[in-house]
Amino acid sequence: MSKYNEVYADTQRLFDSVIDETGLEQVINFKVLSCNSLKKKACDAVKAGDIVKYMTEKDIIILVNEPVFERLTEEQRKIAAEEAVAKVGFDYEKDKIVMSQPDVSTFSLVLVKHGNDKVIQLKDAVRLAFSSLAEQEG
């Protein structure tokens, strides 16, 4: 049995919808594959290597651990799909795909204790402080 397989039709429709919302399908070719050995995430986006891109004409591969993905609620599946696709961007000036890291990283204990809004405000304040200091030095 192959490590990678086609995803269920409903999973494909969900990702097609999420990708369509971004408008990225106009400049990036996506492929959604099932990869049940994917760890710690229900789904993830990876940039296709040169050989894969040459052979498939796909730029980004979305990997989905379908046994995990199917255990999520419909709302959770949509959020997970949006989170995976959010990593992918396109720099129109440089005409290239850009893979980003999450802009907020924290511990669930901190989120539970202080709430999403306060944690995001903290992250924004730290980013702003660094930016302000960089401007003063430069």
Side-chain angles (χ1 to χ4, degrees), residues 3-90:
K3 181 177 178 178
Y4 303 102
N5 296 294
E6 296 298 318
V7 293
Y8 303 136
D10 58 333
T11 301
Q12 184 66 56
R13 281 191 296 274
L14 172 61
F15 277 93
D16 287 345
S17 170
V18 169
I19 292 166
D20 285 347
E21 289 173 9
T22 68
L24 290 173
E25 78 285 353
Q26 297 174 18
V27 290
I28 299 173
N29 293 317
F30 289 85
K31 176 67 178 171
V32 182
L33 289 174
S34 173
C35 177
N36 297 345
S37 63
L38 186 64
K39 303 288 184 208
K40 296 187 180 183
K41 292 183 178 182
C43 53
D44 198 12
V46 295
K47 197 170 184 181
D50 291 339
I51 294 172
V52 172
K53 185 175 178 177
Y54 172 77
M55 294 175 66
T56 66
E57 297 183 5
K58 300 299 181 187
D59 303 301
I60 298 293
I61 312 298
I62 306 273
L63 301 173
V64 181
N65 185 325
E66 284 197 288
V68 171
F69 200 72
E70 289 297 313
R71 291 176 183 238
L72 304 176
T73 67
E74 187 175 328
E75 179 182 38
Q76 289 169 333
R77 285 192 296 268
K78 178 150 172 109
I79 292 168
E82 288 174 348
E83 186 174 53
V85 173
K87 289 178 66 174
V88 182
F90 193 80

